[in-house]
Amino acid sequence: MLAEIARDSYGTAPLTRKLADYNGITNPNLLRVGEYLELPARLVLAPPAAVPAASGALQPPHSLEGIIATFGDIRRHIRDDGHLNPAWETGHLATAPIPFAIPLSWDRTRRVQGIYCHKLLAPLVSDLFRAIQQEGLQEQITTFGGCFNCRPKRQSNKLSTHSWGIAIDLNPETNRQGSPGDMSGELVALFKRYGFAWGGTWSGRNKDPMHFQFCTGY
């Protein structure tokens, strides 16, 4: 039972639902043999306060419940064959223009000057990249690894935050998952000012220094 794991790990069973959401588990009473379970720090599941965003009124949601409340329940729009209903993408995503072009990590002959993300996040993303340029950090971004991509999180069964279009990957060639990476500390600090959590602070095989997501606790 997940409740027993929550009680043993955190000293309290009420965190069971949050632990289930963190791992993308729909039924906390049903765990599969061999299923990989992430046990984050208690503060990840139950932070003392929300982190305010630096621009606009949009605040980074906490946990799967918060992501769904803010950005919608994409799970209801994934078909039995695993593909996303195109209507969700049309109704929820937009392109955020950015002030400089970034080479694609998988094809450096092509550049993007807009980031396809959740429409609620688009104004903040544009503001963030203007701030990157204004603070002289543009050269710290060598390639763009993607934003919206409806898929499971790497090494996990739960949906990636890329599925909602609320995560951005940068410089993936030198910031592979599980590695310390070489992401600029100034760039990380600026993303945090705008409400993004950085995957470089995660531990073990989940450490993901290319990854920035506009949410916590998931």
Side-chain angles (χ1 to χ4, degrees):
M1 292 289 187
L2 196 61
E4 296 176 1
I5 296 174
R7 185 168 51 249
D8 291 345
S9 301
Y10 305 108
T12 177
L15 287 180
T16 301
R17 183 67 263 172
K18 291 183 179 295
L19 182 60
D21 287 345
Y22 187 87
N23 284 278
I25 296 173
T26 304
N27 185 351
N29 297 315
L30 182 62
L31 297 180
R32 297 188 298 271
V33 175
E35 183 171 11
Y36 175 74
L37 191 67
E38 295 180 46
L39 297 175
R42 184 189 178 101
L43 286 177
V44 172
L45 296 181
V51 179
S55 173
L58 187 65
Q59 302 295 311
H62 178 76
S63 77
L64 177 61
E65 181 181 4
I67 294 172
I68 289 172
T70 303
F71 298 112
D73 192 351
I74 194 174
R75 301 172 304 176
R76 298 180 181 275
H77 300 271
I78 297 176
R79 297 168 171 167
D80 292 340
D81 62 3
H83 292 94
L84 179 65
N85 186 331
W88 190 93
E89 186 175 342
T90 302
H92 291 79
L93 301 180
T95 298
I98 59 176
F100 55 92
I102 311 173
L104 292 174
S105 63
W106 59 91
D107 183 357
R108 293 200 181 198
T109 65
R110 298 169 56 199
R111 293 171 173 261
V112 296
Q113 202 154 350
I115 294 180
Y116 193 50
C117 62
H118 198 284
K119 64 182 182 181
L120 296 181
L121 192 62
L124 186 143
V125 168
S126 292
D127 288 348
L128 168 58
F129 277 81
R130 280 193 291 268
I132 289 172
Q133 185 181 57
Q134 291 166 1
E135 297 193 16
L137 300 176
Q138 177 178 337
E139 298 303 319
Q140 302 294 334
I141 300 177
T142 56
T143 58
F144 174 66
C147 180
F148 169 69
N149 185 3
C150 188
R151 60 169 175 79
K153 181 180 177 182
R154 290 191 297 270
Q155 303 193 47
S156 175
N157 293 321
K158 70 180 182 180
L159 281 176
S160 167
T161 47
H162 286 285
S163 300
W164 284 270
I166 60 171
I168 296 172
D169 287 346
L170 297 175
N171 307 348
E173 297 85 353
T174 56
N175 291 276
R176 299 290 184 188
Q177 187 173 29
S179 75
D182 63 356
M183 192 64 69
S184 160
E186 293 176 302
L187 196 61
V188 170
L190 185 55
F191 265 85
K192 288 182 177 180
R193 274 167 45 196
Y194 277 77
F196 284 81
W198 180 45
T201 62
W202 302 340
S203 61
R205 69 178 189 174
N206 295 311
K207 190 178 186 69
D208 200 0
M210 76 175 78
H211 181 88
F212 298 89
Q213 64 181 36
F214 193 75
C215 64
T216 59
Y218 182 77

